[in-house]
Amino acid sequence: MYVETEWDPRDPTGEMDFVASLIADTGVPTVAVAQAWLDRADAAAVLEAHASRPFVRSVRHKPRANARATDRTPGGMTDVAWREGYKRLGSLGLRFDLQTPWWHLAEATELATDFPNTQIVVNHTGLPSDRSPDGIAGWQQAMAQLAQCPNVAVKISGLGQAGQPWTVAANRPIVLTTLDLFGVNRCMFASNFPVDRICADFSTIYGGFQAIVANFTATEQDALFADNARRIYAIEDTHA
């Protein structure tokens, strides 16, 4: 799976032209998450263009967010124009990849409730970057509320902390809490590379995920590492 990189915000369809060329030349990626600025005047045309490509499964637009949990200013998911763009996703068969700090997840809960036919995939585990007791408590409460919406799934990824190595001990509680809240069938392990290279290599992170769920059944592990992603993003197994 290719996830948009904001390579040129002025031309979100151009990035998908590039992905199409990769697929034509190499056969990969199988599917992609495209960028779409949901509050722009051209949102309808951009979304229709993305939906016309057979490999585009989802879109991502990071909604405007506050820098800290104590700032109660409403975030981008409350904007009328943004929601007008968002509501087009369902009729186009597109999912939505949501990247936002956990203190805006109440807005995501409202969004998921108002548009129950649109699949939301929370990126980077809801961004639990503040590992203080208060930070973890706030993250857990927000995730628990969002987990009540059956149309929400979670990518467990992006757990690196600035200036610290990625360790099983540091991240086990986050992973297991997320699995407990959302259930195995709505979670999937994901890569945040190359960004997470600053805290660990790929083998360290995925080896850590494997260690954390070592006591889970083989079926549950298959779901977390592959099968849920195939189902949620409708990925066809080209190697079968």
Side-chain angles (χ1 to χ4, degrees), residues 178-221:
T178 303
L179 292 173
D180 182 55
L181 291 174
F182 285 85
V184 167
N185 289 333
R186 289 197 286 155
C187 296
M188 50 194 140
F189 291 126
S191 163
N192 189 32
F193 271 72
V195 177
D196 272 2
R197 191 176 292 157
I198 62 176
C199 61
D201 59 27
F202 190 90
S203 296
T204 297
I205 293 175
Y206 265 74
F209 288 153
Q210 290 172 333
I212 291 169
V213 298
N215 292 330
F216 285 47
T217 68
T219 298
E220 289 172 330
Q221 292 185 49

Side-chain angles (χ1 to χ4, degrees), residues 44-92:
V46 169
L47 292 174
E48 288 171 6
H50 287 332
S52 71
R53 297 182 185 271
F55 61 85
V56 174
R57 296 291 190 272
S58 183
V59 299
R60 180 166 70 165
H61 174 200
K62 300 169 187 173
R64 179 177 50 76
N66 302 325
R68 57 189 63 84
T70 53
D71 185 344
R72 302 300 180 184
T73 305
M77 283 179 277
T78 65
D79 292 344
V80 173
W82 194 94
R83 286 172 64 91
E84 282 296 310
Y86 183 88
K87 76 177 185 180
R88 297 178 183 274
L89 299 179
S91 62
L92 293 171

Side-chain angles (χ1 to χ4, degrees), residues 108-131:
T109 300
E110 183 176 351
L111 196 69
T113 301
D114 290 346
F115 302 97
N117 295 323
T118 298
Q119 174 72 61
I120 294 175
V121 181
V122 175
N123 290 188
H124 305 329
T125 335
L127 298 176
S129 56
D130 179 1
R131 300 295 178 90

